[in-house]
Amino acid sequence: MTATLIWILVALVAVGLYLSWTAGRLDRLHVRMDAARAALDAQLLRRASVAQELATSGVLDPAASIVLYEAAHAARQAEEEHREVAESELSQALRAVFEDPRQVEGVREAPGGEEAARELAEAVRRVPMARRFHNDAVGAARRLREHRKVRWFRLAGHAPFPLAFEMDDEPPAALIERVA
C-alpha cells in the first residue's frame, strides 16, 4: 500500500513539474511575442515618421507629397483594429510614389535627399523582417496553446489568443534598388 502511494505521489510530482515547465515555456513565448510586437510597432512608427518627414520636406512633387503624407499620418494615428489596413495603405502609397526610378533620383539629388532616401529605404526594409519575427513568435505560441494539456489545465491563464499582424509590406522596388 505504501509503495503504491509513493508511486502515485512520484507520478503527480512528475506531472506537476511537466505542467510547470510547459507553463513557463508558454510564458516565455508570450514575452517573446510581446517583445517582437514592440519591435514591430517601433519599425512601423519609424517608417511612417520617415515617410511623413519626406512628404513635408518639399523634395517630392505636390501630389506625391499629399498621398504620402496622408497615408503616413493615417498609419500613425490608426486605432489598433484598423492598423493593419492603414499600414498596408502606407505600403501601397510608398510603392505608388516610388514606382518610377526617376522619382527616387529626384529625391536623391535634392539637398539632404540622399540621406532621406537611405533612411526611408532602411525603414522600409526593416518592417517585413520585424513582422516576420512577430508572426513567428505568434505561430510558436499558437502551436503550444493548441495542445490539449495547455487547454485542459488552462496554462495560458487569461492571456488573449495571439494574433498575427497581416499587412502588405512589399517595399517599392525602385527605392530599394537605387539606394542599396
Side-chain angles (χ1 to χ4, degrees):
M1 181 74 168
T2 307
T4 305
L5 287 175
I6 291 175
W7 281 112
I8 290 174
L9 183 62
V10 168
L12 287 174
V13 168
V15 167
L17 286 173
Y18 178 70
L19 291 175
S20 174
W21 176 80
T22 303
R25 181 172 166 228
L26 185 60
D27 184 54
R28 288 188 302 275
L29 284 172
H30 280 132
V31 168
R32 185 177 127 203
M33 187 177 57
D34 290 342
R37 179 58 187 236
L40 175 62
D41 287 341
Q43 291 305 321
L44 291 171
L45 181 63
R46 180 171 182 249
R47 180 181 77 154
S49 297
V50 171
Q52 211 169 20
E53 185 178 312
L54 184 63
T56 58
S57 68
V59 298
L60 296 173
D61 63 86
S65 292
I66 290 171
V67 167
L68 196 57
Y69 181 83
E70 287 180 355
H73 181 71
R76 289 183 72 176
Q77 300 298 321
E79 300 275 332
E80 190 60 36
E81 58 269 5
H82 303 295
R83 183 116 188 250
E84 294 172 350
V85 173
E87 293 294 346
S88 293
E89 288 173 354
L90 177 56
S91 295
Q92 293 165 0
L94 285 166
R95 281 197 309 272
V97 169
F98 294 108
E99 71 181 339
D100 186 8
R102 291 178 298 195
Q103 181 81 320
V104 177
E105 289 302 319
V107 170
R108 291 179 70 199
E109 291 169 0
E114 184 72 38
E115 177 67 23
R118 186 184 59 72
E119 193 174 345
L120 182 60
E122 286 178 12
V124 166
R125 273 193 213 135
R126 290 180 181 179
V127 167
M129 207 171 7
R131 189 175 74 87
R132 195 171 314 119
F133 286 139
H134 174 264
N135 288 349
D136 287 348
V138 166
R142 277 182 168 184
R143 283 188 295 278
L144 185 58
R145 286 182 69 154
E146 289 171 354
H147 286 233
R148 277 185 289 229
K149 65 181 173 270
V150 173
R151 288 184 315 215
W152 288 350
F153 292 101
R154 299 179 189 262
L155 298 181
H158 297 290
F161 194 74
L163 299 174
F165 194 85
E166 297 300 332
M167 66 173 269
D168 175 8
D169 60 3
E170 184 181 336
L175 181 66
I176 300 301
E177 290 170 3
R178 296 285 185 185
V179 178

